[in-house]
Amino acid sequence: MENEKLNISIKGYQKLTLLDYPGKVACTVFTGGCNLRCPFCHNAGIVRDPTGTEDMLNELLSYLSKRKGILDGVCVTGGEPLLQPHLSEFLSKLKEMGYSVKLDTNGSLPEKLCTILDAGLVDYVAMDIKSSPEGYEKASGSEIPFTTFAKSMEIIRASGVEYEFRTTAAKGIHEISDFEKISFLLHPDEQYFIQCFVDSGNILSDICSPFEGDELKKILEKVKKRVPRAALRGKE
């Protein structure tokens, strides 16, 4: 499929990251639009204005073509990438260029996720677990039932693809007890990260604030009782 026929919204890209794709020197690509409205979302501009440009897509593909052999992978994030009608074609292009692909998803579209994973277009997937089942509506800003997100977790587990689960910890949205409940959703051998909320100045709500360091340590201690590989990401 020609670039100009790709119906995909690219809002921007980070040319180099050593953090977004574990073990890879990567480029991070931001797709437009999201079907959730998480109050702590730090990409509010992408949520509010999902429209990308053809010029941005062409610029990105030109950059990636020139960086072959220097970059190892591409992290495709958002927004929610699975909303893109031609995501499969876009990921196929990345694979044809020789890149490993990491997909970030909120888990709200399990059927589309299954299609992408079954097609072998993703090498690593990171899924957000927004909160405990009881707190999901508040944390996601959506009435999508938790069972939908749980289905995506099972699809990821069955895919054979390397993966991680993660939660952005934000006061005003989460209680410490939410993380203990999340730990019961996880398998003991799974990789799980508690990400520290950071106010980017462009979030969807002003009700959120960061947990303090001692609170984060307490959260981690509770989670590690069931999930030993759990770790903090973003603040010590």
Side-chain angles (χ1 to χ4, degrees), residues 1-2 6-7 13 30 45 61 68 82 84 92 98 104 110 141 143 149 174 178 197 219 234:
M1 180 174 287
E2 297 298 323
L6 272 176
N7 184 11
Y13 61 99
F30 299 91
L61 293 175
K68 289 180 184 179
L82 290 171
Q84 301 299 321
S92 292
D104 289 353
E143 295 182 358
F149 301 96
H174 301 110
D178 284 312
F197 166 74
I219 288 170

Side-chain angles (χ1 to χ4, degrees), residues 10 23 69 74 87 95 98 111 124 130 132-133 137 161 163 171 173 179 190 193 201 217 221:
I10 303 297
V74 179
L87 182 63
K95 299 290 284 183
E111 289 76 17
Y124 190 108
K130 300 298 183 181
S132 62
E137 184 172 335
V161 172
Y163 67 92
K171 270 188 176 180
I173 299 298
F179 292 90
E190 288 182 322
F193 293 99
K217 289 178 181 178
E221 286 173 6

Side-chain angles (χ1 to χ4, degrees), residues 51-102:
T51 306
T53 66
E54 183 180 319
D55 286 346
M56 182 61 72
L57 172 62
N58 291 335
E59 178 185 320
L60 168 66
L61 293 175
S62 175
Y63 171 75
L64 291 175
S65 179
K66 294 172 183 175
R67 303 303 283 180
K68 289 180 184 179
I70 300 173
L71 296 175
D72 303 316
V74 179
C75 174
V76 182
T77 188
E80 174 49 57
L82 290 171
L83 291 173
Q84 301 299 321
H86 289 166
L87 182 63
S88 292
E89 290 85 350
F90 177 64
L91 298 184
S92 292
K93 277 186 174 290
L94 299 181
K95 299 290 284 183
E96 288 167 8
M97 296 169 80
Y99 288 109
S100 294
V101 175
K102 173 177 177 272

Side-chain angles (χ1 to χ4, degrees), residues 32 151 196:
K151 183 176 181 181
C196 308

Side-chain angles (χ1 to χ4, degrees), residues 103-143:
L103 176 70
D104 289 353
T105 182
N106 61 33
S108 63
L109 300 163
E111 289 76 17
K112 291 184 179 181
L113 176 62
C114 187
T115 297
I116 292 289
L117 294 179
D118 283 351
L121 297 175
V122 172
D123 303 286
Y124 190 108
V125 59
M127 178 182 156
D128 296 321
I129 300 176
K130 300 298 183 181
S131 187
S132 62
E134 299 88 341
Y136 232 86
E137 184 172 335
K138 180 179 181 180
S140 67
S142 165
E143 295 182 358

